[in-house]
Amino acid sequence: MSKQERELVVIGTLYPGIENYLNDYVASLNRQTARNFDVLLANDGLYKFNLPSLRRDIRCTVTAVGGSISSNRRQSIRHALALGYDKIIFTDCDDAFDSNRISLVNELLETTEIVVNDLDLIDEGGSLSVANYLSQRFGEAATISEQLLRNANLMGLSNTAAKARVFQDLPALHHGEAIAFDWYLWSCALHEGFQALFTSKTSTHYRVYADNIAGMPQVLDEDKIHTGIKVKCRHYRLMSDVAGEYACLHHDFEAAKLKWNDQDWREEYVSRLKATAVEVHLWWENIRTPAEVGLT
C-alpha cells in the first residue's frame, strides 16, 4: 500500500491459533457504521489461512512480521506511521467489537489524544459472560492517569486508539522486551503527558480462554500469580529506564520472585493476595507487592 488517502487505520495481528476467531473478527469490521477506513494486519507466522471477505469499502493489507511480541507490535505501529495515518485504532484478531466502535472512537479522537473503550467479556465460543466490565469501575469520560496505570492496566491492544503523534519518540517504540507490551506502551504514553479518556459508549468483545495469559478476570492460583510476578518484574524494569520512581516496584517484585520457591512464604503470599483481591479488577491489579499484603 502506498501513502494513504484516508486518515484512519485499524491494526491487528494474525498468529497461529487464531484461525477459529477470524470470522467473528472480520464480521465485526463489516458491521461497522463507519466508512472509509483501512485495515493493516501483521502476519506473525500464520500460514495457509483464508481471510474472510471484507466489505468493499474497507481496504486491507496483510504484511509479514517476525520476532518477539514486542517487536511485532512495534512493526505494526511503525508501518501505520510510515503510511501517514493520523489515527490508529488497535484490535486483537481473536476479539470483536460493537458496530459503532470505529465511528465513535474516530469522533472522540478529534478532541482527545487517546481513547479507552469498555470491555464485554465473552467466552471462547463468543457467548457473553460480563457486559460493560470496565464501566463497573469508571464513568464516562473518566481520565486515565499514569498513576492509575502504575499498579494495574486497563489499556489493552484491543480497546484503545490514539492519534499518531502519541507514538513519536516513545521508548516502547524503540526498545524493551515486555511481556505485557500494551501496558508498557501506554504507560510510556501517559508518562509523556498525553491524555487518555474512557468511554462506555462502545465496547470490545474481549475473548477469555485458556491460552490468553492476560484473561479477565485473572484467576489467583499459583501459576497465574507466578506469571503476574514475572510480568510486573519485566514491566517495572523497563519503566525504571523511563522514570526512576518505578525502581522500587521493580525491586519489590524481584524480591518476590526470589522468595517464590520458599513453600511456606509462597503459600502465605498467595493466601494474602486472595484475601485482599479486588473483585472487579484490572489486568495485574491483584498481583501486589509482599509489603502491600503485610508480608516481608
Side-chain angles (χ1 to χ4, degrees):
M1 184 183 294
S2 60
K3 283 284 185 176
Q4 55 83 33
E5 300 167 358
R6 305 172 181 176
E7 66 171 3
L8 181 64
V9 67
V10 172
I11 65 175
T13 302
L14 306 172
Y15 51 86
I18 207 168
E19 298 89 336
N20 291 338
Y21 312 121
L22 285 178
N23 284 336
D24 287 349
Y25 175 74
V26 170
S28 70
L29 288 173
N30 288 334
R31 285 194 300 267
Q32 292 302 300
T33 58
R35 292 292 187 269
N36 298 322
F37 62 89
D38 293 344
V39 176
L40 298 179
L41 298 178
N43 187 349
D44 181 19
L46 181 59
Y47 303 107
K48 296 182 180 179
F49 73 99
N50 293 315
L51 188 69
S53 297
L54 281 159
R55 228 169 49 198
R56 292 183 65 179
D57 63 298
I58 301 174
R59 300 187 309 190
C60 179
T61 302
V62 180
T63 58
V65 296
S68 67
I69 291 175
S70 293
S71 175
N72 293 342
R73 300 303 185 265
R74 288 190 189 100
Q75 290 176 63
S76 295
I77 297 170
R78 287 173 180 163
H79 187 197
L81 296 177
L83 289 170
Y85 291 99
D86 296 323
K87 301 170 184 175
I88 300 173
I89 296 179
F90 292 90
T91 61
D92 281 337
C93 295
D94 55 355
D95 296 336
F97 26 91
D98 286 349
S99 61
N100 70 332
R101 184 184 177 217
I102 292 177
S103 59
L104 177 66
V105 167
N106 185 37
E107 179 182 348
L108 292 174
L109 286 175
E110 291 296 319
T111 55
T112 192
E113 294 152 329
I114 303 169
V115 174
V116 186
N117 63 256
D118 213 342
L119 295 174
D120 288 343
L121 308 187
I122 62 174
D123 64 20
E124 189 166 0
S127 298
L128 180 67
S129 299
V130 182
N132 305 115
Y133 182 84
L134 292 177
S135 292
Q136 298 178 61
R137 294 278 299 269
F138 302 96
E140 181 64 23
T143 299
I144 310 302
S145 65
E146 181 188 4
Q147 182 61 42
L148 176 61
L149 249 64
R150 188 154 296 173
N151 296 309
N153 188 31
L154 72 153
M155 300 176 67
L157 289 186
S158 195
N159 70 322
T160 49
K163 292 179 178 176
R165 66 170 179 261
V166 168
F167 304 106
Q168 301 298 330
D169 299 322
L170 281 188
L173 264 291
H174 295 283
H175 56 78
E177 293 300 317
I179 299 173
F181 179 76
D182 49 4
W183 194 12
Y184 178 38
L185 177 73
W186 297 120
S187 293
C188 287
L190 297 189
H191 180 73
E192 290 295 318
F194 292 107
Q195 184 183 52
L197 293 181
F198 172 75
T199 181
S200 60
K201 294 180 179 178
T202 192
S203 285
T204 293
H205 306 165
Y206 178 70
R207 197 180 303 271
V208 180
Y209 54 95
D211 292 337
N212 188 340
I213 68 165
M216 189 83 79
Q218 291 181 310
V219 178
L220 283 177
D221 60 27
E222 287 195 3
D223 287 342
K224 295 294 185 182
I225 292 170
H226 196 207
T227 296
I229 291 172
K230 293 175 183 177
V231 167
K232 286 198 156 182
C233 278
R234 183 77 59 84
H235 178 71
Y236 293 133
R237 181 179 63 77
L238 292 171
M239 288 304 299
S240 295
D241 293 334
V242 176
E245 57 264 33
Y246 288 89
C248 289
L249 288 166
H250 176 229
H251 175 271
D252 289 345
F253 278 103
E254 282 290 350
K257 188 166 67 172
L258 289 172
K259 291 183 177 180
W260 185 256
N261 289 330
D262 181 328
Q263 183 176 347
D264 291 340
W265 183 93
R266 181 176 68 250
E267 290 177 353
E268 183 62 23
Y269 178 55
V270 170
S271 175
R272 295 190 185 198
L273 288 181
K274 290 180 178 180
T276 59
V278 176
E279 182 177 359
V280 183
H281 59 269
L282 310 180
W283 287 298
W284 318 116
E285 185 173 19
N286 283 331
I287 311 299
R288 305 176 186 275
T289 67
E292 286 181 290
V293 295
L295 190 62
T296 57

